[in-house]
Every structure is written in C-alpha cells, then in structure tokens.
Amino acid sequence: MGTLSVHKIASKDRISARVNHDIYQTIVKAAESNSQSINDFVIQAALSQAQDILQRQQLQWITVANDNEALWLAEKMQQSTPINAKLEAALAQYQQVLQQKCKK
C-alpha cells in the first residue's frame, strides 16, 4: 500500500505517506468531491477511523455474577420493545410514501 512516517514540527505533528498512483488518484477524487484539500480529507478520514477503533476497544462487556442473572439478561434481550403511537404513525407514513413511489 504505502509507507508512513511521522515528524514533529513545533507544536504540530506531521504525518506523511507514500502511496501508489491509483490510491493517490482515489483520494484526490474523494477530497475534491467533498470540497476538501487532500490534507484535510486524509486527516479527517484517519481521525474518524482512529476514533472508531478506540471506541470499539473501550466498549465494556456485561458481566454476570451467576446463572440467574445470565438467564434474566438473556430473557430481556429476547423481549421485543413495544411500539408507541408516534413510532407507529411514522411507520405508516413511511409505508405510504414507499407505496406511492412504487406506483410511479
């Protein structure tokens, strides 16, 4: 794919990457279509990916002390949540819109 190096400049760090031409062209097109500089696009994409990875690593797992708690938790996870009136109305409206679009 490419090589990556990190340089410290004053109070800002610098990241540089070497990539093949196809990867570069893809990044350029994506940055342009998003009205961003290549640098801003790469930083945003890398930061978003880094945050997602760190967030997944920080997820805490539920622990249960005994079989009764495990059974209770399993039952709760299998129960369906009742649909309230507002959600039901929104679903009906959405289905009407879909039907209208399918008829066209």
Side-chain angles (χ1 to χ4, degrees), residues 21-89:
H21 186 71
D22 292 338
I23 292 172
Y24 177 79
Q25 287 299 323
T26 301
I27 292 170
V28 168
K29 286 179 187 177
E32 287 174 351
S33 70
N34 212 27
S35 301
Q36 291 180 290
S37 69
I38 298 169
N39 191 55
D40 288 344
F41 179 82
V42 170
I43 289 170
Q44 180 186 4
L47 180 60
S48 177
Q49 180 78 13
Q51 289 170 332
D52 288 347
I53 290 168
L54 293 174
Q55 186 176 21
R56 281 194 305 266
Q57 288 179 346
Q58 292 174 352
L59 289 177
Q60 295 180 355
W61 293 96
I62 297 173
T63 56
V64 291
N66 56 47
D67 290 340
N68 289 336
E69 287 182 6
L71 289 172
W72 177 86
L73 181 59
E75 287 174 13
K76 292 295 178 187
M77 291 176 71
Q78 291 176 359
Q79 291 176 356
S80 62
T81 304
I83 298 176
N84 66 34
K86 287 184 180 180
L87 182 56
E88 209 167 75

